[in-house]
Amino acid sequence: MSTPIPLFGYDDILSSPIDGEGELPLLTGLASSAFGTTSLPASNTSGTIDLLLSQISTPTHGRRCPANEMSEDLTQHADWAARRVRLKTAGTQELKKIAQLNPAQREILNTALILKLSEQIKAIIPAEAQWAMSKNLKEKIEQYTFAVLCLPKLELYVKKQGPTKLLMSILEHHPSWGYTKDIKNDKYKHDIIVARIGVRFTDRRSLLRTIIVCSLGPELQPPASQGSGASPNKSVPLRINIVELCKNIIAKGPKSISEDTSVTLQMCTRVTFLRKVMVALLESPQVKFDTYWNLVNKQLEALRALHESVITRQLTSYLKKDLELYGTVPLPATISNSNMHETQQVADLATTGLLQDIAED
């Protein structure tokens, strides 16, 4: 990185007559930049505030100004102020230099310092802290990141921002939730929302994977070096049937959804598929545990390439085998979209491409 260049200095100040009375020192570069004779590169504004002060010296060595135009030497006041605010030695010395400047120079320097402080504040304050997302929008993101990942029809869990794009389409269809057209067209705010959705999907995928791993029992667990993302003190691996596994997944969702959501045959079928992929991964030592969701994507792509009748037979066989391995239990019924929780209904319509057929909020 090149050394930052100060915004201006005081060693090369030119003289300019003012109303025919003497000459007042001007700041180097001020006139030229104002009249377009030169332009400073953007990198010249970088660096610390100390650089702005480091070039300060005594006024120009040109013709001496009349006594009535000379600035009062405020060095003693600078000493007092430095002690009052407990400046360090370097800061005290810089303040004394400023005290020797005339009022016009001090005003310009103060303006420069304020602008530099503004740049630094923008650089250190996180974007999310500068624009606060509405509480309602945050709640909807919590609800729908969960609902989308629980969709039996979800085509992609990772890759190409599949879940994120799906959720963004839902938010766009319901501007009253907080994702308005103005926010959509504001890249800064739009990116904050997309980032939050991405983080919440990552967190929920990790939790879902952990729940599935723990359902396999202690005999089949990932190596300690890879881990499942679960704390051994909080999650004890126990072999559980598919219905209980689905209930455990629902229980980790937002209360506004989980309290009114029931296990369905469709969900059991999809979770059976997810558990089968996990078992295959853990039985293949050469495959990294962190590639689980990518493997799920590939398996889903291969499954969708089959004829519908073959897909049905395949999933039925997976479910039957799962019941044999983890416990036979009465399976719930298949439910229609109209009987789903409202959040599940919207997510289901979005994944089937029918969301645009219903009226916007």
Side-chain angles (χ1 to χ4, degrees), residues 78-255:
D79 278 325
W80 171 82
R83 290 194 301 271
R84 186 67 180 269
V85 299
R86 297 182 180 179
L87 280 180
K88 293 183 179 180
T89 303
T92 301
Q93 295 303 317
E94 299 300 339
L95 187 60
K96 287 181 179 180
K97 292 179 182 179
I98 295 175
Q100 297 173 21
L101 303 179
N102 64 44
Q105 292 171 328
R106 284 198 294 269
E107 183 178 355
I108 293 296
L109 179 59
N110 287 337
T111 301
L113 293 176
I114 291 173
L115 292 174
K116 175 52 64 176
L117 283 173
S118 177
E119 292 176 359
Q120 292 180 328
I121 289 173
K122 290 180 181 179
I124 64 177
I125 295 180
E128 190 169 354
Q130 295 182 41
W131 177 72
M133 196 182 305
S134 70
K135 182 179 179 181
N136 185 54
L137 184 54
K138 287 182 180 180
E139 290 177 351
K140 293 300 182 182
I141 290 175
E142 287 299 300
Q143 293 172 0
Y144 281 91
T145 48
F146 172 77
V148 166
L149 288 184
C150 289
L151 283 172
K153 301 176 183 178
L154 187 62
E155 295 185 356
L156 294 172
Y157 287 87
V158 290
K159 188 179 179 182
K160 300 179 181 179
Q161 289 190 326
T164 297
K165 290 180 179 178
L166 181 62
L167 180 44
M168 290 302 295
S169 70
I170 295 174
L171 296 181
E172 186 175 356
H173 196 77
H174 299 83
S176 63
W177 293 353
Y179 185 60
T180 62
K181 290 184 178 180
D182 288 341
I183 291 179
K184 177 185 177 181
N185 295 328
D186 188 325
K187 185 178 184 302
Y188 164 68
K189 296 178 181 178
H190 168 83
D191 289 349
I192 290 176
I193 295 173
V194 171
R196 184 176 183 86
I197 291 173
V199 169
R200 294 306 295 137
F201 268 130
T202 298
D203 293 342
R204 292 200 182 282
R205 278 193 298 264
S206 178
L207 180 58
L208 177 56
R209 184 182 65 178
T210 296
I211 295 173
I212 293 172
V213 169
C214 289
S215 74
L216 303 177
E219 301 86 2
L220 191 58
Q221 292 295 304
S225 59
Q226 298 186 40
S228 64
S231 170
N233 296 325
K234 296 181 180 180
S235 303
V236 179
L238 295 173
R239 292 172 65 90
I240 58 176
N241 63 63
I242 190 62
V243 174
E244 286 301 313
L245 175 54
C246 289
K247 288 181 179 178
N248 289 349
I249 293 172
I250 292 174
K252 293 299 182 180
K255 289 185 178 180

Side-chain angles (χ1 to χ4, degrees), residues 292-337:
Y292 171 69
W293 291 111
N294 290 309
L295 291 176
V296 170
N297 278 358
K298 292 180 179 179
Q299 291 298 136
L300 283 174
E301 290 173 358
L303 188 65
R304 287 196 299 271
L306 303 175
H307 189 274
E308 185 175 351
S309 61
V310 178
I311 294 175
T312 301
R313 290 198 302 270
Q314 192 74 68
L315 294 178
T316 301
S317 67
Y318 291 163
L319 183 56
K320 181 179 179 180
K321 184 66 174 178
D322 190 278
L323 291 171
E324 294 174 358
L325 290 173
Y326 299 99
T328 302
V329 62
L331 293 173
T334 299
I335 66 171
S336 62
N337 180 279

Side-chain angles (χ1 to χ4, degrees), residues 8 56 127 321:
F8 52 80
I56 297 175
K321 184 66 174 178

